[in-house]
């Protein structure tokens, strides 16, 4: 079996009630690195605000008892838009909660006949992709299409320590250096 995701637990208010965990909210005014514990070991969830009713939930997942059917260990990034209806009116409509696939192929949004799948190792960050930046990933946008005003970089998995790290930083003005 696989544990439910942070997005679904928060959506259904189980995260606080069952796990007594409150998401860490990223400081959007300064760059910071956050350490994530895997959900199978109590878990750490990072909430990255986009707008008042829209945010990312970031969690580290690794195979463990109760969470053993994962395609791979890695960092999952969920896009949550509370203003979107629970059931999208069309297949092209945005979802209330959706996984941002690191491989950027959107196969989780397609049926098997359309070439979709139920998850592959490439969907998790920290394996083949360690960044989520506007202009480099098609899903680095708010529901209204506006590019994120932040970037997520340096996604690193430290498997022996059972931890992952992610850096969240505001995007600098175009005339300023990114380093």
């Amino acid at each position: 079996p696989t544990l439910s995701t942070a997005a679904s637990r928060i959506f259904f208010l189980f995260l606080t009630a069952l796990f007594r965990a409150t998401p860490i909210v990223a400081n959007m005014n300064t760059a910071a690195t956050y350490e994530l514990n895997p959900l199978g070991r109590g878990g750490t969830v990072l909430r990255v605000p986009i707008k008042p009713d829209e945010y990312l939930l970031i969690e580290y997942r690794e195979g463990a008892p109760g969470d053993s059917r994962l395609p791979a260990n890695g960092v999952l990034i969920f896009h949550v838009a509370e203003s979107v209806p629970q059931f999208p009116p069309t297949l092209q409509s945005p979802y209330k909660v959706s996984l941002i696939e690191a491989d950027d192929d959107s196969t989780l949004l397609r049926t098997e006949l359309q070439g979709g799948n139920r998850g592959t190792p490439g969907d998790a960050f920290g394996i083949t992709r360690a960044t989520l930046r506007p202009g480099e990933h098609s899903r680095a946008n708010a529901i209204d299409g506006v590019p994120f005003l932040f970037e997520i970089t340096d996604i690193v998995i430290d498997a022996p320590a059972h931890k992952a790290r992610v850096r969240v930083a505001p995007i600098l003005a175009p005339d300023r250096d990114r380093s």
Side-chain angles (χ1 to χ4, degrees):
T2 302
L3 295 173
S4 58
T5 65
S8 64
R9 288 196 309 273
I10 285 177
F11 183 72
F12 293 109
L13 302 176
F14 288 134
L15 186 66
T16 301
L18 295 178
F19 295 96
R20 303 217 182 274
T22 301
I24 298 167
V25 179
N27 179 345
M28 301 312 293
N29 297 317
T30 185
T33 298
Y34 300 89
E35 191 169 272
L36 305 174
N37 296 307
L39 288 182
R41 294 177 174 258
T44 308
V45 177
L46 178 63
R47 180 178 169 142
V48 181
I50 300 169
K51 296 181 178 184
D53 64 348
E54 189 176 354
Y55 49 90
L56 301 180
L57 291 177
I58 303 174
E59 63 185 16
Y60 172 48
R61 301 288 291 272
E62 67 178 14
D67 207 13
S68 60
R69 300 188 84 200
L70 300 171
N73 294 350
V75 173
L76 300 182
I77 302 177
F78 293 91
H79 190 158
V80 180
E82 294 177 356
S83 63
V84 171
Q86 180 66 33
F87 300 104
T90 70
L91 292 176
Q92 292 74 35
S93 298
Y95 289 82
K96 184 182 268 308
V97 178
S98 63
L99 179 71
I100 296 177
E101 299 171 54
D103 57 21
D104 205 12
D105 66 5
S106 299
T107 55
L108 289 172
L109 300 175
R110 296 192 297 252
T111 67
E112 186 177 1
L113 291 174
Q114 297 169 322
N117 62 52
R118 306 243 326 146
T120 65
D123 292 337
F125 285 83
I127 299 169
T128 59
R129 183 181 212 124
T131 62
L132 177 63
R133 286 187 173 117
E136 293 180 11
H137 195 289
S138 68
R139 298 280 312 279
N141 301 305
I143 291 296
D144 62 9
V146 173
F148 291 159
L149 300 177
F150 57 87
E151 61 185 11
I152 300 169
T153 62
D154 303 328
I155 302 172
V156 177
I157 297 169
D158 183 352
H162 301 283
K163 299 199 180 296
R165 284 179 288 289
V166 300
R167 180 176 168 81
V168 179
I171 301 246
L172 301 176
D175 60 341
R176 293 177 57 193
D177 183 31
R178 237 181 216 263
S179 52

